Amino acid sequence: LIRINEALHNKNLAKISEQIVKNDKIKVITIAGPSSSGKTTFANRLFIQLKADEVNPLVISLDNYYIGRKNIPLNEEGEKDYEALEALDIRLLNQNLVDLIDGKEVELPIYNFITGEREEKGKIVRLSNKHGVIIIEGIHGLNEAMTKYIPKEQKFKIYISCLTQLNLDKHNRIATSDVREIRRMVRDSLSRNTAAEETLAMWSSVRKGEEKHIFPFQEEADVIFNSNLVYEMGVLKNAAMRELVKVPTTSPYYADARRLIGLLACFLPIETDDVPDDSILKEFIGKSFFYNY
């Protein structure tokens, strides 16, 4: 079951790569999707597939363009809005894109999610002169404001989402947002040392940001990739349960935690070692080919 699901992902990736290769006008590939849809791993896997198709891509993550935790704008409730377009250094991003396409050497920023600040030294890169393309991934990837200086014919837009198809029975479906929330909870606990209660607390803001900044641009996409894996709830179960049981009964998010615990109880656990190291799921459970945590 695991191997077949992963093979289907590989097949769809290859089809997307073929579309890009056939159009030699494309210089920028944008990848967007809601939180915890697997954008970063997808971008890295697309990078490998494009290399196999004799294209030389350069991956840029919008996460690295955060302006800094202290400068993040506030939403209507007075909370930090990490999903807002204004939370990113748009000017620097556009300047980097223009310089790269012009063949210049560029220092890309590196954002540290632990400290909440940009690293002092970035990554020096240059776009290849031979079949070079830029891959940009992040929640705002489909927004024209992100790449407004690049002609439309030079862009290829990809929308990625975790479109869950499982139902508990004939009357109860599993919400796509629940799977993404569990993905994020597991990832944040491993890579950012974030407690489940904190993830639950920010989820409402995340969802509002998606409604405002992501979903309105879905129709701009040239292709859609479904990152869901039918077996993933079994893999996520143990790590998610360990975090959810820590939510205290006095927490305003205790009811949400119990609901997710009830959902996860419907699945048998699956060993994480059975998941391939380049799987999108590894972005959330750790030990990925592309990450160190």
Side-chain angles (χ1 to χ4, degrees), residues 74-159:
L74 304 179
N75 57 22
E76 293 81 359
E77 289 76 27
E79 301 172 342
K80 291 184 180 297
D81 189 358
Y82 289 93
E83 314 299 330
L85 184 64
E86 294 76 18
L88 302 173
D89 192 338
I90 303 301
R91 183 198 61 78
L92 177 61
L93 172 64
N94 278 276
Q95 186 61 55
N96 286 166
L97 291 176
V98 171
D99 289 344
L100 284 168
I101 293 175
D102 287 343
K104 298 178 182 178
E105 188 176 78
V106 173
E107 181 178 0
L108 299 181
I110 298 176
Y111 186 81
N112 188 319
F113 281 97
I114 303 299
T115 63
E117 298 292 338
R118 192 177 295 169
E119 298 283 0
E120 290 184 8
K121 294 184 178 180
K123 181 180 180 181
I124 306 298
V125 299
R126 185 190 295 273
L127 188 64
S128 173
N129 292 327
K130 185 178 181 181
H131 300 120
V133 296
I134 302 169
I135 298 177
I136 307 175
E137 64 90 2
I139 63 171
H140 298 288
L142 301 182
N143 192 333
E144 279 295 315
M146 301 302 299
T147 54
K148 57 185 178 181
Y149 297 116
I150 312 300
K152 279 196 172 185
E153 62 269 18
Q154 293 185 354
K155 291 182 284 191
F156 186 84
K157 300 181 179 181
I158 302 172
Y159 179 75

Coordinates of all heavy atoms in Angstrom, one line a residue, residues 74-159:
L74 N 0.1 42.2 12.7 CA -1.0 41.6 13.5 C -2.2 41.5 12.7 O -2.5 42.3 11.8 CB -1.2 42.5 14.7 CG 0.0 42.7 15.6 CD1 -0.4 43.6 16.8 CD2 0.6 41.4 16.1
N75 N -3.1 40.5 13.0 CA -4.4 40.4 12.3 C -5.4 41.1 13.1 O -5.1 41.9 14.0 CB -4.7 38.9 12.2 CG -4.8 38.2 13.6 OD1 -4.9 38.8 14.6 ND2 -4.7 36.9 13.6
E76 N -6.7 40.9 12.8 CA -7.8 41.7 13.4 C -7.9 41.4 14.9 O -8.4 42.3 15.6 CB -9.1 41.3 12.7 CG -9.2 41.8 11.3 CD -8.5 40.9 10.3 OE1 -7.9 39.8 10.8 OE2 -8.6 41.1 9.1
E77 N -7.5 40.2 15.3 CA -7.5 39.9 16.7 C -6.3 40.3 17.5 O -6.2 40.0 18.7 CB -7.7 38.3 16.9 CG -9.1 37.8 16.4 CD -9.2 37.8 14.9 OE1 -8.2 37.6 14.3 OE2 -10.3 37.9 14.4
G78 N -5.4 41.0 16.8 CA -4.2 41.4 17.5 C -3.1 40.4 17.7 O -2.2 40.5 18.4
E79 N -3.3 39.3 16.9 CA -2.3 38.2 17.0 C -1.4 38.3 15.8 O -1.7 38.8 14.7 CB -3.0 36.8 17.0 CG -3.9 36.6 18.2 CD -4.7 35.4 18.1 OE1 -4.8 34.8 17.0 OE2 -5.3 34.9 19.1
K80 N -0.1 37.7 15.9 CA 0.8 37.7 14.8 C 0.3 36.9 13.6 O -0.1 35.8 13.8 CB 2.1 37.2 15.2 CG 2.9 38.1 16.2 CD 4.3 37.5 16.5 CE 5.0 38.4 17.5 NZ 5.3 39.8 16.9
D81 N 0.3 37.5 12.4 CA -0.3 36.9 11.2 C 0.9 36.4 10.3 O 1.3 37.1 9.5 CB -1.2 37.9 10.5 CG -1.9 37.2 9.3 OD1 -1.8 36.0 9.1 OD2 -2.7 37.9 8.7
Y82 N 1.3 35.2 10.6 CA 2.4 34.6 9.9 C 2.1 34.3 8.4 O 2.9 34.1 7.6 CB 2.9 33.3 10.5 CG 3.6 33.6 11.8 CD1 2.9 33.5 13.1 CD2 5.0 33.9 11.9 CE1 3.6 33.8 14.3 CE2 5.7 34.1 13.1 CZ 4.9 34.1 14.3 OH 5.6 34.3 15.5
E83 N 0.8 34.2 8.1 CA 0.3 33.9 6.8 C 0.1 35.1 5.9 O -0.1 35.0 4.7 CB -1.0 33.1 6.8 CG -1.0 32.0 7.9 CD 0.0 30.9 7.6 OE1 0.4 30.7 6.5 OE2 0.5 30.3 8.6
A84 N 0.3 36.3 6.4 CA 0.0 37.5 5.6 C 1.2 37.8 4.6 O 2.3 37.4 4.9 CB -0.1 38.7 6.6
L85 N 0.8 38.3 3.5 CA 1.8 38.7 2.5 C 2.8 39.7 3.0 O 4.0 39.6 2.7 CB 1.1 39.3 1.3 CG 2.0 39.6 0.0 CD1 2.6 38.3 -0.5 CD2 1.1 40.3 -1.0
E86 N 2.3 40.5 3.9 CA 3.2 41.6 4.5 C 4.2 41.0 5.5 O 5.1 41.7 5.9 CB 2.3 42.6 5.2 CG 1.4 43.4 4.3 CD 0.2 42.7 3.8 OE1 -0.1 41.6 4.4 OE2 -0.4 43.1 2.8
A87 N 4.1 39.7 5.8 CA 5.1 39.1 6.7 C 6.3 38.7 6.0 O 7.3 38.3 6.6 CB 4.5 37.8 7.4
L88 N 6.3 38.9 4.7 CA 7.5 38.5 3.8 C 8.1 39.8 3.3 O 7.5 40.8 3.0 CB 7.0 37.6 2.6 CG 6.3 36.3 3.0 CD1 5.8 35.6 1.7 CD2 7.3 35.4 3.7
D89 N 9.4 39.7 3.0 CA 10.2 40.8 2.4 C 10.0 40.7 0.9 O 10.8 40.2 0.2 CB 11.7 40.6 2.8 CG 12.5 41.9 2.5 OD1 12.0 42.7 1.6 OD2 13.6 42.1 3.1
I90 N 8.9 41.3 0.4 CA 8.6 41.2 -1.0 C 9.6 41.9 -1.9 O 9.9 41.5 -3.0 CB 7.2 41.8 -1.2 CG1 6.1 41.1 -0.3 CG2 6.8 41.7 -2.7 CD1 6.0 39.7 -0.6
R91 N 10.1 43.1 -1.4 CA 11.0 43.8 -2.2 C 12.3 43.0 -2.5 O 12.8 43.0 -3.6 CB 11.4 45.1 -1.5 CG 12.3 46.0 -2.2 CD 13.0 47.1 -1.3 NE 13.8 46.5 -0.3 CZ 15.0 46.0 -0.5 NH1 15.6 46.0 -1.7 NH2 15.7 45.4 0.5
L92 N 12.8 42.4 -1.4 CA 14.0 41.6 -1.6 C 13.8 40.4 -2.5 O 14.7 40.1 -3.3 CB 14.5 41.1 -0.2 CG 15.8 40.2 -0.2 CD1 17.0 40.9 -0.8 CD2 16.1 39.7 1.2
L93 N 12.7 39.8 -2.3 CA 12.4 38.6 -3.2 C 12.3 39.0 -4.7 O 13.0 38.3 -5.5 CB 11.0 38.0 -2.8 CG 10.5 36.9 -3.7 CD1 11.4 35.7 -3.7 CD2 9.0 36.5 -3.3
N94 N 11.6 40.0 -5.0 CA 11.5 40.5 -6.4 C 12.9 40.9 -6.9 O 13.2 40.6 -8.1 CB 10.5 41.6 -6.5 CG 9.1 41.1 -6.6 OD1 8.6 40.7 -7.7 ND2 8.4 41.1 -5.5
Q95 N 13.7 41.5 -6.1 CA 15.0 41.9 -6.6 C 15.9 40.7 -6.8 O 16.6 40.6 -7.8 CB 15.7 42.8 -5.5 CG 17.0 43.4 -6.0 CD 16.9 44.3 -7.2 OE1 16.1 45.2 -7.2 NE2 17.7 44.0 -8.2
N96 N 15.8 39.7 -6.0 CA 16.6 38.5 -6.2 C 16.2 37.8 -7.4 O 17.0 37.3 -8.2 CB 16.3 37.5 -5.0 CG 17.1 37.9 -3.7 OD1 16.8 37.4 -2.6 ND2 18.0 38.9 -3.8
L97 N 14.9 37.7 -7.7 CA 14.4 37.0 -8.9 C 14.9 37.7 -10.2 O 15.3 37.1 -11.1 CB 12.8 37.0 -8.9 CG 12.2 36.1 -7.9 CD1 10.6 36.2 -8.0 CD2 12.6 34.6 -8.1
V98 N 14.8 39.0 -10.2 CA 15.2 39.8 -11.4 C 16.7 39.6 -11.6 O 17.2 39.4 -12.7 CB 14.9 41.3 -11.2 CG1 15.5 42.1 -12.3 CG2 13.4 41.5 -11.2
D99 N 17.5 39.7 -10.5 CA 18.9 39.5 -10.7 C 19.3 38.1 -11.1 O 20.2 37.9 -12.0 CB 19.6 39.8 -9.3 CG 19.6 41.3 -8.9 OD1 19.3 42.1 -9.8 OD2 19.8 41.6 -7.8
L100 N 18.6 37.1 -10.6 CA 18.9 35.7 -11.0 C 18.6 35.5 -12.5 O 19.4 34.9 -13.2 CB 18.1 34.7 -10.2 CG 18.6 34.5 -8.7 CD1 17.6 33.7 -7.9 CD2 19.9 33.7 -8.8
I101 N 17.5 36.0 -13.0 CA 17.1 35.8 -14.4 C 18.1 36.6 -15.3 O 18.4 36.2 -16.4 CB 15.7 36.3 -14.6 CG1 14.7 35.3 -13.9 CG2 15.3 36.3 -16.1 CD1 13.3 35.7 -13.9
D102 N 18.7 37.7 -14.7 CA 19.6 38.4 -15.5 C 21.0 37.8 -15.5 O 22.0 38.3 -16.1 CB 19.7 39.9 -14.9 CG 18.5 40.7 -15.3 OD1 17.8 40.3 -16.2 OD2 18.3 41.8 -14.7
G103 N 21.1 36.7 -14.8 CA 22.4 36.0 -14.7 C 23.4 36.4 -13.7 O 24.5 36.0 -13.7
K104 N 22.9 37.2 -12.7 CA 23.8 37.7 -11.6 C 23.9 36.7 -10.5 O 23.0 35.9 -10.3 CB 23.2 39.0 -11.1 CG 23.2 40.2 -12.1 CD 22.6 41.4 -11.5 CE 22.5 42.5 -12.6 NZ 21.9 43.8 -12.0
E105 N 25.0 36.9 -9.7 CA 25.1 36.1 -8.5 C 24.4 36.7 -7.4 O 24.4 37.9 -7.2 CB 26.6 36.0 -8.1 CG 26.9 35.0 -7.0 CD 28.4 34.9 -6.7 OE1 29.0 35.8 -6.1 OE2 29.0 33.9 -7.2
V106 N 23.6 35.9 -6.6 CA 22.7 36.5 -5.6 C 22.9 35.8 -4.3 O 23.1 34.6 -4.2 CB 21.2 36.3 -6.1 CG1 20.3 36.7 -4.9 CG2 21.0 37.1 -7.3
E107 N 22.8 36.5 -3.2 CA 22.8 35.9 -1.8 C 21.4 35.8 -1.3 O 20.8 36.8 -0.9 CB 23.7 36.8 -0.9 CG 23.7 36.2 0.6 CD 24.6 37.1 1.5 OE1 25.1 38.1 1.1 OE2 24.7 36.7 2.7
L108 N 20.9 34.6 -1.3 CA 19.6 34.3 -0.8 C 19.5 34.3 0.7 O 20.4 33.8 1.4 CB 19.0 33.0 -1.3 CG 19.0 32.8 -2.9 CD1 18.4 31.4 -3.2 CD2 18.1 33.9 -3.5
P109 N 18.5 34.9 1.3 CA 18.4 34.9 2.8 C 18.1 33.5 3.4 O 17.5 32.6 2.7 CB 17.2 35.8 3.1 CG 16.4 35.7 1.9 CD 17.3 35.5 0.7
I110 N 18.4 33.3 4.6 CA 18.1 32.0 5.3 C 17.5 32.4 6.7 O 18.0 33.1 7.5 CB 19.4 31.2 5.6 CG1 20.1 30.8 4.3 CG2 19.0 29.9 6.5 CD1 21.4 30.0 4.5
Y111 N 16.2 32.0 6.8 CA 15.4 32.3 8.0 C 15.5 31.2 9.1 O 15.4 30.0 8.7 CB 14.0 32.5 7.7 CG 13.1 33.1 8.8 CD1 13.2 34.4 9.2 CD2 12.3 32.2 9.6 CE1 12.4 34.9 10.2 CE2 11.6 32.6 10.6 CZ 11.6 34.0 10.9 OH 10.8 34.5 12.0
N112 N 15.8 31.5 10.3 CA 15.9 30.6 11.4 C 14.6 30.6 12.2 O 14.3 31.6 12.9 CB 17.1 30.9 12.3 CG 17.4 29.9 13.4 OD1 16.5 29.3 13.9 ND2 18.7 29.6 13.6
F113 N 13.9 29.5 12.1 CA 12.6 29.4 12.8 C 12.7 29.3 14.3 O 11.8 29.5 15.1 CB 11.8 28.2 12.3 CG 11.1 28.5 11.0 CD1 11.7 28.1 9.8 CD2 9.9 29.2 10.9 CE1 11.1 28.4 8.6 CE2 9.3 29.5 9.7 CZ 9.9 29.1 8.5
I114 N 13.9 28.9 14.8 CA 14.1 28.8 16.2 C 14.3 30.1 16.9 O 13.7 30.5 17.9 CB 15.3 27.9 16.6 CG1 15.2 26.5 15.9 CG2 15.6 27.8 18.1 CD1 14.0 25.7 16.4
T115 N 15.2 31.0 16.3 CA 15.4 32.3 16.8 C 14.4 33.3 16.3 O 14.2 34.4 16.9 CB 16.8 32.8 16.4 OG1 16.9 32.9 14.9 CG2 17.9 31.8 16.8
G116 N 13.7 33.0 15.2 CA 12.8 34.0 14.6 C 13.4 35.1 13.9 O 12.8 36.2 13.7
E117 N 14.6 35.0 13.5 CA 15.4 36.0 12.8 C 16.1 35.4 11.6 O 16.3 34.2 11.5 CB 16.4 36.7 13.7 CG 15.8 37.4 14.9 CD 15.0 38.6 14.5 OE1 15.2 39.1 13.4 OE2 14.1 39.0 15.4
R118 N 16.5 36.3 10.7 CA 17.3 35.9 9.5 C 18.7 35.7 9.9 O 19.3 36.5 10.7 CB 17.1 37.0 8.4 CG 17.6 36.6 7.0 CD 17.4 37.7 6.0 NE 15.9 37.9 5.9 CZ 15.4 39.0 5.3 NH1 16.2 39.9 4.7 NH2 14.1 39.1 5.1
E119 N 19.4 34.7 9.3 CA 20.8 34.4 9.6 C 21.6 35.6 9.0 O 21.2 36.2 8.0 CB 21.2 33.1 8.9 CG 20.5 31.9 9.5 CD 21.0 31.4 10.8 OE1 21.9 32.1 11.3 OE2 20.4 30.4 11.4
E120 N 22.8 35.8 9.6 CA 23.7 36.9 9.2 C 24.2 36.6 7.7 O 24.3 37.5 6.9 CB 24.9 37.0 10.1 CG 24.5 37.5 11.5 CD 25.7 37.8 12.3 OE1 26.8 37.6 11.8 OE2 25.5 38.1 13.5
K121 N 24.5 35.4 7.4 CA 25.0 35.0 6.1 C 23.9 34.2 5.4 O 23.4 33.3 5.9 CB 26.3 34.3 6.2 CG 27.4 35.1 6.7 CD 28.8 34.4 6.7 CE 29.9 35.2 7.2 NZ 31.2 34.5 7.2
G122 N 23.7 34.5 4.1 CA 22.8 33.8 3.3 C 23.5 32.7 2.4 O 24.6 32.4 2.6
K123 N 22.8 32.3 1.4 CA 23.3 31.3 0.4 C 23.6 32.0 -0.9 O 22.7 32.6 -1.5 CB 22.3 30.2 0.3 CG 22.7 29.1 -0.6 CD 21.7 28.0 -0.7 CE 22.1 26.9 -1.7 NZ 21.0 25.8 -1.8
I124 N 24.8 31.9 -1.3 CA 25.2 32.4 -2.6 C 24.9 31.5 -3.8 O 25.3 30.3 -3.8 CB 26.8 32.7 -2.7 CG1 27.2 33.6 -1.5 CG2 27.1 33.4 -4.0 CD1 26.5 35.0 -1.4
V125 N 24.1 32.0 -4.7 CA 23.6 31.1 -5.8 C 23.7 31.9 -7.2 O 23.8 33.1 -7.2 CB 22.2 30.6 -5.6 CG1 22.1 29.8 -4.4 CG2 21.2 31.8 -5.5
R126 N 23.6 31.2 -8.2 CA 23.5 31.7 -9.6 C 22.7 30.8 -10.4 O 22.9 29.6 -10.3 CB 24.9 31.9 -10.2 CG 24.9 32.7 -11.6 CD 26.3 32.6 -12.2 NE 27.3 33.3 -11.5 CZ 27.5 34.6 -11.7 NH1 26.8 35.3 -12.5 NH2 28.5 35.2 -11.0
L127 N 21.8 31.3 -11.3 CA 21.0 30.5 -12.1 C 21.8 30.0 -13.3 O 22.5 30.7 -13.9 CB 19.8 31.3 -12.6 CG 18.7 30.5 -13.4 CD1 18.0 29.5 -12.5 CD2 17.7 31.5 -13.9
S128 N 21.7 28.7 -13.6 CA 22.4 28.1 -14.7 C 22.0 28.7 -16.0 O 20.8 29.0 -16.3 CB 22.2 26.6 -14.7 OG 22.7 26.0 -15.9
N129 N 23.0 28.9 -16.9 CA 22.7 29.5 -18.2 C 22.1 28.4 -19.2 O 21.5 28.8 -20.2 CB 24.0 30.0 -18.9 CG 24.5 31.2 -18.1 OD1 23.7 32.0 -17.6 ND2 25.8 31.4 -18.1
K130 N 22.2 27.2 -18.8 CA 21.7 26.1 -19.6 C 20.5 25.5 -19.0 O 20.5 24.8 -18.0 CB 22.8 25.0 -19.8 CG 22.4 23.9 -20.8 CD 23.5 22.9 -20.9 CE 23.1 21.8 -21.9 NZ 24.2 20.7 -22.0
H131 N 19.3 25.8 -19.6 CA 18.0 25.3 -19.2 C 17.8 25.6 -17.7 O 17.3 24.7 -17.0 CB 17.9 23.8 -19.4 CG 18.0 23.4 -20.9 ND1 19.0 22.6 -21.4 CD2 17.3 23.8 -22.0 CE1 18.8 22.4 -22.7 NE2 17.8 23.2 -23.1
G132 N 18.1 26.8 -17.3 CA 17.9 27.1 -15.9 C 16.5 27.7 -15.6 O 16.0 28.5 -16.3
V133 N 15.9 27.2 -14.5 CA 14.6 27.7 -14.1 C 14.7 27.9 -12.5 O 15.5 27.3 -11.8 CB 13.5 26.7 -14.4 CG1 13.3 26.5 -15.9 CG2 13.7 25.3 -13.7
I134 N 13.8 28.7 -12.0 CA 13.7 29.0 -10.6 C 12.4 28.4 -10.1 O 11.3 28.6 -10.6 CB 13.7 30.5 -10.4 CG1 14.9 31.2 -10.9 CG2 13.6 30.8 -8.9 CD1 14.9 32.7 -10.9
I135 N 12.5 27.7 -9.0 CA 11.4 27.1 -8.3 C 11.1 27.9 -7.0 O 12.0 28.0 -6.2 CB 11.6 25.6 -8.0 CG1 11.8 24.8 -9.3 CG2 10.4 25.0 -7.2 CD1 12.1 23.3 -9.0
I136 N 9.9 28.5 -6.9 CA 9.5 29.2 -5.7 C 8.4 28.5 -5.0 O 7.4 28.2 -5.6 CB 9.1 30.6 -6.1 CG1 10.1 31.4 -6.9 CG2 8.8 31.4 -4.8 CD1 9.7 32.7 -7.4
E137 N 8.6 28.1 -3.7 CA 7.5 27.5 -3.0 C 7.2 28.3 -1.8 O 8.0 28.9 -1.1 CB 7.9 26.0 -2.7 CG 9.1 25.9 -1.7 CD 8.7 25.8 -0.3 OE1 7.5 25.9 0.0 OE2 9.6 25.8 0.6
G138 N 5.8 28.3 -1.5 CA 5.3 29.0 -0.3 C 3.9 29.3 -0.5 O 3.3 29.1 -1.6
I139 N 3.2 29.7 0.6 CA 1.7 29.8 0.5 C 1.3 30.9 -0.5 O 0.2 30.8 -1.0 CB 1.1 30.1 1.9 CG1 1.7 31.4 2.4 CG2 1.4 29.0 2.9 CD1 0.9 31.9 3.7
H140 N 2.2 31.8 -0.8 CA 1.8 32.9 -1.7 C 2.3 32.7 -3.1 O 2.3 33.6 -4.0 CB 2.3 34.2 -1.2 CG 1.8 34.6 0.1 ND1 0.5 35.1 0.3 CD2 2.3 34.7 1.4 CE1 0.3 35.3 1.6 NE2 1.4 35.1 2.2
G141 N 2.7 31.5 -3.4 CA 3.3 31.2 -4.7 C 2.5 31.5 -5.9 O 3.1 31.8 -7.0
L142 N 1.2 31.5 -5.8 CA 0.3 31.8 -7.0 C -0.1 33.3 -7.1 O -0.7 33.7 -8.1 CB -1.0 30.9 -6.9 CG -0.8 29.4 -6.9 CD1 -2.2 28.7 -6.8 CD2 0.0 28.9 -8.0
N143 N 0.3 34.0 -6.1 CA 0.0 35.5 -6.1 C 0.9 36.2 -7.0 O 2.1 36.2 -6.9 CB 0.1 36.0 -4.6 CG -0.5 37.4 -4.5 OD1 -0.6 38.1 -5.4 ND2 -0.8 37.7 -3.2
E144 N 0.3 36.9 -8.0 CA 1.0 37.7 -9.0 C 1.9 38.7 -8.3 O 2.9 39.1 -8.9 CB 0.0 38.4 -9.9 CG -0.5 37.4 -11.0 CD 0.6 37.0 -12.0 OE1 1.4 37.8 -12.4 OE2 0.7 35.8 -12.3
A145 N 1.6 39.2 -7.1 CA 2.4 40.2 -6.5 C 3.8 39.7 -6.1 O 4.8 40.4 -6.0 CB 1.7 40.7 -5.2
M146 N 3.9 38.3 -6.0 CA 5.2 37.7 -5.7 C 6.2 37.7 -6.9 O 7.4 37.8 -6.7 CB 5.0 36.3 -5.2 CG 4.1 36.1 -4.0 SD 4.7 37.1 -2.6 CE 6.3 36.3 -2.3
T147 N 5.6 37.7 -8.1 CA 6.5 37.6 -9.3 C 6.0 38.6 -10.3 O 5.9 38.3 -11.5 CB 6.4 36.2 -9.9 OG1 5.1 35.8 -10.1 CG2 7.1 35.2 -8.9
K148 N 5.6 39.8 -9.9 CA 5.0 40.8 -10.8 C 5.9 41.3 -11.9 O 5.4 41.8 -12.9 CB 4.4 42.0 -10.0 CG 5.5 42.7 -9.2 CD 4.8 43.8 -8.3 CE 5.8 44.5 -7.4 NZ 5.1 45.5 -6.6
Y149 N 7.2 41.1 -11.8 CA 8.1 41.6 -12.8 C 8.4 40.5 -13.8 O 9.2 40.8 -14.8 CB 9.4 42.1 -12.2 CG 9.2 43.3 -11.3 CD1 9.4 43.3 -9.9 CD2 8.7 44.5 -11.8 CE1 9.2 44.4 -9.1 CE2 8.4 45.6 -11.0 CZ 8.7 45.5 -9.6 OH 8.5 46.6 -8.8
I150 N 7.8 39.3 -13.7 CA 8.1 38.2 -14.6 C 6.9 38.1 -15.5 O 5.7 37.9 -15.0 CB 8.3 36.9 -13.8 CG1 9.3 37.1 -12.7 CG2 8.8 35.8 -14.8 CD1 10.7 37.6 -13.2
P151 N 7.1 38.1 -16.8 CA 5.9 37.9 -17.8 C 5.2 36.6 -17.5 O 5.8 35.6 -17.1 CB 6.6 37.9 -19.1 CG 7.9 38.6 -18.9 CD 8.3 38.3 -17.5
K152 N 3.9 36.6 -17.7 CA 3.1 35.4 -17.4 C 3.5 34.2 -18.2 O 3.5 33.0 -17.8 CB 1.6 35.7 -17.7 CG 0.9 36.4 -16.5 CD -0.6 36.3 -16.7 CE -1.3 36.8 -15.4 NZ -2.7 36.6 -15.4
E153 N 3.9 34.4 -19.5 CA 4.3 33.2 -20.3 C 5.6 32.6 -19.8 O 5.9 31.5 -20.2 CB 4.5 33.7 -21.8 CG 5.6 34.7 -22.0 CD 5.1 36.2 -21.9 OE1 4.0 36.4 -21.3 OE2 5.7 37.1 -22.4
Q154 N 6.3 33.2 -18.9 CA 7.6 32.7 -18.4 C 7.3 31.9 -17.0 O 8.3 31.4 -16.4 CB 8.6 33.7 -18.2 CG 9.1 34.3 -19.5 CD 10.3 35.3 -19.2 OE1 10.6 35.7 -18.1 NE2 10.8 35.8 -20.3
K155 N 6.1 31.9 -16.6 CA 5.7 31.3 -15.3 C 4.9 30.0 -15.5 O 4.0 29.9 -16.4 CB 5.0 32.3 -14.4 CG 5.9 33.4 -14.0 CD 5.2 34.4 -13.0 CE 4.3 35.3 -13.8 NZ 3.8 36.4 -12.9
F156 N 5.1 29.1 -14.6 CA 4.3 27.8 -14.5 C 3.9 27.7 -13.1 O 4.7 27.5 -12.2 CB 5.1 26.6 -15.0 CG 4.3 25.4 -15.1 CD1 3.6 25.1 -16.2 CD2 4.3 24.4 -14.0 CE1 2.8 23.9 -16.3 CE2 3.6 23.3 -14.1 CZ 2.8 23.0 -15.3
K157 N 2.6 27.7 -12.8 CA 2.1 27.7 -11.5 C 1.5 26.3 -11.1 O 0.7 25.8 -11.8 CB 1.0 28.8 -11.3 CG 1.5 30.2 -11.6 CD 0.4 31.2 -11.4 CE 1.0 32.6 -11.7 NZ -0.1 33.7 -11.5
I158 N 1.9 25.9 -9.9 CA 1.5 24.6 -9.4 C 0.7 24.8 -8.0 O 1.3 25.4 -7.1 CB 2.6 23.6 -9.2 CG1 3.4 23.4 -10.5 CG2 2.2 22.3 -8.6 CD1 4.7 22.7 -10.3
Y159 N -0.4 24.2 -7.9 CA -1.2 24.3 -6.6 C -1.1 22.9 -6.0 O -1.5 21.9 -6.6 CB -2.6 24.7 -6.9 CG -3.5 24.7 -5.6 CD1 -3.3 25.7 -4.7 CD2 -4.4 23.7 -5.3 CE1 -4.0 25.8 -3.5 CE2 -5.1 23.7 -4.1 CZ -5.0 24.8 -3.2 OH -5.7 24.8 -2.1

